[in-house]
Amino acid sequence: MPAEQRIEVLPDLESLSQRALEITVEQMELALAARGRFNIVLAGGSTPKSLYERLSQEALPWSAFHVFWGDERYVPPDHPDSNEGMARQAWLDHIPIPAAQIYPMPTFLPDPHQAAAQYHQELLVYFQSLDKPTPDFDLVLLGMGPDGHTASLFPHTPALNVTDQFVTVGEKEGQPRLTLTVPVINQARCVLFLVAGANKQAALGQVLTKTGDPQAYPARLIQPDETLIWLLDQEAGLGWSDE
Ligand SMILES: O=C(O)[C@H](O)[C@@H](O)[C@H](O)[C@H](O)COP(=O)(O)O
């Protein structure tokens, strides 16, 4: 159960993205004050694009950013479906962040399981260099699909129950994806969901009321110890608000 959990409903995607920018900067400031760097995990899909575009317009201490992904479609970065490609086009290609501080998920190996193991190892080495045995990201950005999936943790798939790896292979309609595992996401200091669109309403109802079976609505599995924030637009968040 998160120490702090809140739901904010914003009028539309643009105001949701502006609020997400504010929270991202808040979490960055906390991380820099405490540890001198900001370890952020990016979400894929379409919802976060407007946030990334806003970030590209900011003058932030980019040299303190270390950017990771929460999941990736198993395609090259120049493929239209690539989460890495979307984030680079919307944000990362427009700011002076050191290239070595961007850690894309590898999607060039023939076997996605090998790629998952490689990213696991990359995370292990990175966090061990910070004297941490496991990843403790400062901020994990997540979306949620109409079926209640998040990252590439899809309903009734083996990925939901992987606890001995930081990264595993998810699957959407037979297509492989790479995804952080539930324990890694839950070890983050702050998890921020960005959910927009009427097609998310039903799944939200199952997730936020904690009634839906977590295997059927994997976003329910996301219960970080510290901070969990849901930013919803009015279409998705009809009737929901902690405010
Ligand atoms: O790679 C992905 O697609 C995402 O990580 C996925 O979990 C996404 O966040 C949801 O499917 C919502 O996608 P939209 O933002 O496009 O609705």
Side-chain angles (χ1 to χ4, degrees), residues 3 8 22 30 55 57 79 93 100-101 109 118-119 126 138 148 157 159 166 179 189 205 211 217 219 222 233 240:
E8 297 182 29
E22 291 165 7
L30 289 170
L55 279 162
Q57 302 302 310
H79 187 284
D93 288 351
Q101 293 177 203
L109 296 171
Q118 179 172 313
Y119 204 63
Y126 175 80
D138 296 305
T157 56
F166 303 153
T179 185
R189 291 184 179 82
T211 50
Y217 296 94
I222 306 307
D233 75 350
W240 286 102

Side-chain angles (χ1 to χ4, degrees), residues 43-48 71 73 83 142-145 149-152 177 200:
S46 58
T47 304
D71 76 317
R73 293 84 181 275
N83 289 337
L142 291 174
M144 190 191 75
H149 83 262
T150 189
S152 283
R177 296 194 170 186
K200 313 287 178 78

